[in-house]
């Protein structure tokens, strides 16, 4: 199903196309349709309305990524604020406190 993400779109079918090229084009088109359908099915309705329609799965995924770049920036700011203002208050173990700080740092590093 991920053929549309792994491979570039094949050249259009012509009269001189081989059977292999025809089969690959057919498989790629099916993969692209299924990928777009799956992406649209799993995205919340309120988010779908703000995304442009795309006929290629890679383009649709790029539009989703572009839409949420600002969300990553605000999340990074929140994680940084949490990490810098976190203090050990003695209500839990030092180990739990250190693990929470490490988790915040790793989330921040991923962003």
């Amino acid at each position: 199903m991920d053929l549309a993400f792994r491979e570039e779109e094949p050249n259009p079918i012509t009269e001189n196309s081989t059977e292999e090229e025809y089969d690959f084009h057919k498989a790629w088109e099916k993969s692209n349709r299924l990928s777009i359908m799956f992406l649209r099915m799993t995205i919340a309705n309120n988010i779908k309305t703000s995304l442009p329609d795309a006929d290629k799965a890679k383009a649709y995924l790029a539009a989703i990524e572009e839409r949420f770049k600002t969300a990553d920036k605000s999340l990074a700011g929140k994680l940084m604020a949490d990490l810098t203002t976190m203090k050990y208050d003695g209500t839990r173990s030092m180990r739990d406190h250190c693990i929470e700080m490490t988790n915040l740092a790793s989330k921040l590093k991923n962003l």
Side-chain angles (χ1 to χ4, degrees):
M1 187 170 120
D2 64 342
L3 183 64
F5 291 116
R6 289 185 291 123
E7 301 289 333
E8 292 298 318
E9 180 181 9
N11 295 328
I13 298 296
T14 62
E15 295 173 2
N16 300 333
S17 297
T18 64
E19 186 70 27
E20 291 174 355
E21 290 173 336
Y22 177 77
D23 290 341
F24 179 74
H25 191 274
K26 187 176 177 182
W28 190 91
E29 286 290 328
K30 181 178 180 180
S31 171
N32 188 54
R33 278 194 321 275
L34 288 173
S35 297
I36 289 175
M37 190 174 13
F38 182 74
L39 286 170
R40 288 182 179 154
M41 194 171 62
T42 56
I43 295 174
N45 287 334
N46 59 342
I47 296 171
K48 274 191 262 187
T49 57
S50 67
L51 295 172
D53 286 335
D55 56 343
K56 305 286 186 276
K58 276 188 179 180
Y60 196 66
L61 207 55
I64 294 169
E65 181 181 358
E66 185 65 33
R67 170 76 168 82
F68 287 100
K69 278 186 180 177
T70 56
D72 285 347
K73 288 179 184 177
S74 64
L75 178 60
K78 182 193 177 311
L79 289 174
M80 183 60 96
D82 290 347
L83 188 63
T84 56
T85 59
M86 182 182 283
K87 294 181 182 177
Y88 179 68
D89 58 3
T91 59
R92 56 191 173 159
S93 69
M94 179 58 88
R95 178 180 179 276
D96 290 340
H97 178 74
C98 292
I99 288 174
E100 186 176 351
M101 288 182 72
T102 305
N103 287 341
L104 285 174
S106 67
K107 287 179 186 178
L108 191 58
K109 190 175 185 178
N110 288 338
L111 292 176

